[in-house]
Structure formats: structure tokens, C-alpha cells
Amino acid sequence: MTDTSFSSLNLPTSMLSNLSDLGYNEMTPIQAQSLPFALEGKDLIAKAKTGSGKTAAFAIGLLLNLNQRDFGTQALVLCPTRELSTQVAKEIRRLARFKNNIKVVTLSGGQPVGPQIGSLEHGAHIIVGTPGRIQDLIRKGKLHLERCTTVVLDEADRMLDMGFYEQIEGIIDYTPKKRQTLLFSATYPEGIQKLSADLQTDPIEVTVESLHNTSQIEQIFYPLERTKKPEALSRLLSHHQPESAVIFCNTKDQCREVSDHLRNEGYFAAALHGDLDQRERDQVLVQFSNRSNTILIATDVAARGLDIDDLEVVINYDLPRDPEIYIHRIGRTGRAGKEGLALSIYRDSEDYKLEAISEYQSLSLHTESLSSLKKISSEEPTKPAMRTLCIAGGRKDKIRPGDILGAMTGEAGIEGSVVGKIDIYDFVAYVAVQRDQARKAHGRLINGKIKGRRFKVRIL
């Protein structure tokens, strides 16, 4: 049996101790297969999905190669979205705790460029960000990559889907010819092979079977018959009554239409698509992940990098053309040994998509009639358990979760048990509070102080 302990990799004791503290007990399949090659400095092309542990698969070797005294950029991680960039940078910082004074800077669009330029002026060991913003800062002469010896392309297939091929090539032209290039992708379209051929030298290919074990996921397909799509969706939600559901659409226009339809029916739903500005996007994600919204409607690209625990149901409002994308979608439910539910509605003209999905999984698909679902209740949909308070102060104001918690739960305040997830960004913070306690918590914050200061607070 292969040794999947991190100690089998001949890592420094300080790193092993930190990995243990972070709960990294055994290597995931992608870590076990890729880390030995990454640590040898080889180029790598790895097939791995979100949630597979791939950040540690590239970050461990990247961190070991850093010269702490050199504040020039030595490693670059390119990601398709700001959310994934933030998530990856956060995990790299945790993994870097075994070394002192490692600086990780996130550079992504949708945020003011000034503070990012300010961060770069003090130097950075590792840059994590999106291709557009990074290319922009290189052109402005604010980011220099001549000492960058490791480049990681994370979720490379999504970056290609979003049209970043030329930006990626342009950015990598500024790095040394002699470097290590690690490419991670959930799928292997033709563009990935071309990208690898253009940027890598004799890459080792690593493929790990999907961690999304579809045997844990009940899949039901509903033919539309004479039913219209919006009505079919309402029936599904009324019958199954999920506490959390992601609905996938193929276009952002469809996302908006579905969101409008569900909100008119009384559901707490929000759409995630490319036309939202960054603050709107953050608010949609925060409110869904902290249980203030029940339903998230998204396109595949917009949902990339989402990491949501305990997602009860995935609904395919539109079936994707590619069966691999279907598997990736439904793999967001039924995680960590729990059972999940994937519901799909389709027209007769889409039978070919069902055949492809069936063949891809080597599985007979289960279909049911929409008429078998109980009639839509006249009752209002259940309200989410939480509401979100938005505080006009964040990380740059030195606010920490404990400061917010203390301000709400101090003398004659609310019970700590009614406070949920706290998310802190550079200039804003969000805190989830049980719905029936939200107004009291809001009053505490607007009439009190956080770290000796008053901040504007509103209920979303």
C-alpha cells in the first residue's frame, strides 16, 4: 500500500508540524501523485477538480523553493476568478506559517488597483491573481517577474473558457525561460494540450479520478412534457424543499430570468453572473454560504471556485452539452460521505445530452414525471435561518471576527450562539445572525463601537 503520509516526502520538520496543525493528516490522491514530481522541480499537467486538495499539491513545493530574504516575486499563481484567487491565497498563507515573513499578495480585477499597487511596492514573494489584472500591472511597470521561478495555472480550463489564452502567454513571456510550470485543470479540452505544449517542458501528466463519487448522489431527470420550465422548477423546489440549492443555467440571461421568477414566488434566491460588480458578487456569495439565502442561480463560469459545505441539492435548469461539466456540477452535492441530490429538467430535443451523460457514467439514468411531484403548496417558501449584517469596515481597518463578535455579545448583547459565519474583506465585513435576532444585533452595532470606532451597519 502506498504511503500517503506527508512525512514520506522528506519535508522539513517545521512544515510537517504546520501541516499537522492545519489538519493535513493524509495526502489526497492529487497530492500523493503530484507532490513527488513537483518537489523534484518537474513541470506538471494535472487533472484535478475544486475540493481535491490541489492548492497544497502546488503550494508545498512552491513554498520550499522561496528565498525569504528576497522580496522579489518568486512564484505566480494564475486563477480564473477573484473568488478562487482569494481562496488560494488564503490557503497558501496558512501553509506558509512554518516560515517567517512570507508575503502573499492577491491581484485581481473588480477591486481598486491603487491598494494593490501599494502592496507591491513593499515586495511580495508570491502573487496570486487573475490574468487581466496581472497583465495590467506588468504593463504599468508595477509588477516584475524576472525572478519568478514557479508558475501555476490553476483551473486552466476555465481560464481558457473565459478567453485568457493570450493574456496567459503574454504574462509568462515576462518570466524566466528556466522555470517550473504547473498546470491544473478539471477537464482536458484541446486548448489545454496546446497551452501545455507552448509553456511547459516535458511535463509529467497526472490524472486523479473525480472525488465526486456519484454513487453518493441520487440523480433524477424530469422530461418537461407540456410543462413550462419555470413551472417545472417551482414544482421541484416545492416538492423537495431544500435548505440550500444551486441552480445551473447555461447563460447569464437565463440566470436573471430564473432569479426574477423565484423571487416573485417568495424564494430567497440570488443570481451569480458576469454582469455583477465585485461588491454585488461578494454579497451574493456571502449570503448563500452563510445561509441568508436559500438558492443560488449560476452559470458554470460564475460558479467556478465555489466551495460550499453541505449543499443539499443541485438543479440543472439547463443541461450542459458536455457530460464532464454535468459531473462537475452535481459533484457540489454529496460530499464528505453525505448523500446528495441532483435534479435535471430537459426537453425531448435534449435526449442526446442524456445519452452522453449516461454513457459517461456507465449508468442507466432515472427519469420521473413532473406530475408525480406533489402539487405546489399555497404556503410561502420557508425563510432562511439567518440574515446578514453588512459593516462598512474591514481588514484594512484592522477589524477581526472577534472584534465584531465582542461588539454584539458584550454586556446585555445577543447570545454568541445566534451569530453565524463572519466574512471580512478589505473594506467591508459581513456577519450572519439568526433571523429573529438580526434587528437586535443591528441595533447593538450601530449604537456601539467596534475597536473603539463607530461604523455604518445595514441589514442586507
Side-chain angles (χ1 to χ4, degrees):
M1 190 174 168
T2 309
D3 188 351
T4 58
S5 65
F6 284 96
S7 56
S8 67
L9 294 174
N10 193 27
L11 300 174
T13 307
S14 55
M15 178 179 257
L16 289 171
S17 174
N18 183 50
L19 286 167
S20 177
D21 290 345
L22 295 175
Y24 280 81
N25 301 315
E26 296 284 320
M27 287 187 277
T28 65
I30 191 61
Q31 291 162 2
Q33 287 199 41
S34 62
L35 269 168
F37 297 116
L39 293 171
E40 287 176 19
K42 296 189 182 299
D43 283 4
L44 203 64
I45 177 167
K47 188 172 183 179
K49 298 184 187 298
T50 300
S52 61
K54 59 187 165 66
T55 302
F58 60 74
I60 285 173
L62 178 156
L63 288 165
L64 290 176
N65 289 333
L66 292 183
N67 175 0
Q68 288 158 271
R69 294 176 183 173
D70 178 3
F71 276 85
T73 300
Q74 298 166 56
L76 172 68
V77 183
L78 291 175
C79 302
T81 65
R82 181 199 167 195
E83 287 75 33
L84 187 62
S85 301
T86 303
Q87 195 177 307
V88 167
K90 183 178 176 183
E91 193 57 21
I92 292 175
R93 287 188 190 101
R94 281 171 18 104
L95 291 163
R97 286 178 191 165
F98 76 101
K99 276 187 171 184
N100 293 324
N101 205 23
I102 295 298
K103 189 172 178 188
V104 183
V105 170
T106 311
L107 304 175
S108 51
Q111 289 180 299
V113 73
Q116 295 181 359
I117 291 172
S119 294
L120 287 175
E121 285 171 355
H122 301 290
H125 296 101
I126 303 166
I127 298 292
V128 183
T130 52
R133 178 54 58 90
I134 285 173
Q135 189 177 50
D136 185 40
L137 289 168
I138 290 171
R139 282 179 183 153
K140 285 182 164 76
K142 303 298 181 183
L143 175 60
H144 304 282
L145 299 176
E146 61 270 11
R147 301 212 287 285
C148 179
T149 53
T150 309
V151 173
V152 180
L153 306 180
D154 194 9
E155 301 204 350
D157 51 347
R158 286 305 123 189
M159 288 197 281
L160 297 190
D161 284 349
M162 294 163 79
F164 285 140
Y165 197 109
E166 287 183 8
Q167 280 109 316
I168 292 168
E169 283 203 315
I171 290 163
I172 291 182
D173 279 346
Y174 286 91
T175 65
K177 288 276 182 276
K178 191 175 181 183
R179 62 168 190 275
Q180 182 180 29
T181 307
L182 308 173
L183 190 156
F184 287 79
S185 183
T187 59
Y188 269 14
E190 282 180 25
I192 291 295
Q193 300 296 343
K194 184 176 185 306
L195 192 64
S196 173
D198 288 350
L199 305 179
Q200 296 185 298
T201 305
D202 300 325
I204 305 288
E205 288 199 24
V206 173
T207 299
V208 174
E209 285 306 307
S210 167
L211 293 187
H212 310 331
N213 181 0
T214 53
S215 65
Q216 295 286 119
I217 303 169
E218 183 183 5
Q219 302 174 54
I220 309 174
F221 293 80
Y222 295 92
L224 276 167
E225 299 160 350
R226 291 193 184 89
T227 317
K228 291 180 179 174
K229 264 190 168 185
E231 183 193 332
L233 179 61
S234 298
R235 279 197 170 216
L236 289 179
L237 291 170
S238 176
H239 178 84
H240 292 283
Q241 297 190 342
E243 288 184 15
S244 64
V246 172
I247 299 172
F248 281 101
C249 300
N250 289 345
T251 68
K252 59 190 177 188
D253 287 342
Q254 196 73 277
C255 281
R256 277 191 288 262
E257 287 173 23
V258 170
S259 175
D260 291 345
H261 167 72
L262 292 179
R263 291 174 82 85
N264 286 338
E265 294 214 330
Y267 286 97
F268 287 75
L272 188 67
H273 54 73
D275 286 351
L276 301 181
D277 66 33
Q278 197 59 53
R279 179 160 288 205
E280 290 169 326
R281 195 176 165 82
D282 288 341
Q283 288 184 3
V284 167
L285 290 169
V286 163
Q287 288 181 273
F288 184 71
S289 66
N290 72 15
R291 306 299 197 204
S292 296
N293 257 344
T294 309
I295 299 167
L296 180 69
I297 305 113
T299 58
D300 294 298
V301 169
R304 198 66 174 186
L306 282 184
D307 196 14
I308 302 155
D309 295 329
D310 296 333
L311 180 59
E312 198 176 336
V313 176
V314 167
I315 298 176
N316 290 294
Y317 189 79
D318 299 319
L319 279 176
R321 287 183 176 277
D322 185 342
E324 197 163 3
I325 290 174
Y326 169 83
I327 296 297
H328 192 58
R329 285 180 180 183
I330 71 168
R332 295 170 189 279
T333 183
R335 288 189 173 181
K338 295 180 181 174
E339 292 190 357
L341 181 61
L343 310 172
S344 303
I345 50 181
Y346 69 97
R347 295 188 173 91
D348 288 346
S349 59
E350 294 180 296
D351 281 346
Y352 72 97
K353 292 182 181 178
L354 267 69
E355 287 171 17
I357 289 166
S358 173
E359 189 178 326
Y360 189 83
Q361 297 182 84
S362 302
L363 185 74
S364 295
L365 301 184
H366 174 57
T367 59
E368 284 187 14
S369 170
L370 284 162
S371 59
S372 68
L373 302 178
K374 69 180 182 188
K375 294 291 181 187
I376 296 171
S377 165
S378 59
E379 294 175 23
E380 285 277 307
T382 307
K383 291 179 178 177
M386 313 299 273
R387 288 197 77 177
T388 300
L389 306 185
C390 175
I391 302 164
R395 201 178 290 119
K396 297 290 186 184
D397 301 290
K398 303 288 192 283
I399 291 178
R400 296 180 180 180
D403 303 323
I404 296 171
L405 193 60
M408 289 193 296
T409 61
E411 195 175 330
I414 63 172
E415 292 289 323
S417 58
V418 308
V419 181
K421 197 162 175 264
I422 298 175
D423 293 277
I424 299 184
Y425 293 82
D426 283 350
F427 302 104
V428 67
Y430 302 97
V431 54
V433 182
Q434 277 183 17
R435 181 163 287 276
D436 60 353
Q437 296 289 310
R439 297 215 171 274
K440 185 177 178 182
H442 179 250
R444 284 286 297 182
L445 289 177
I446 58 172
N447 294 316
K449 293 181 179 180
I450 303 172
K451 295 200 89 164
R453 290 177 58 192
R454 290 190 186 276
F455 291 92
K456 288 182 181 177
V457 185
R458 60 194 174 95
I459 304 178
L460 296 180

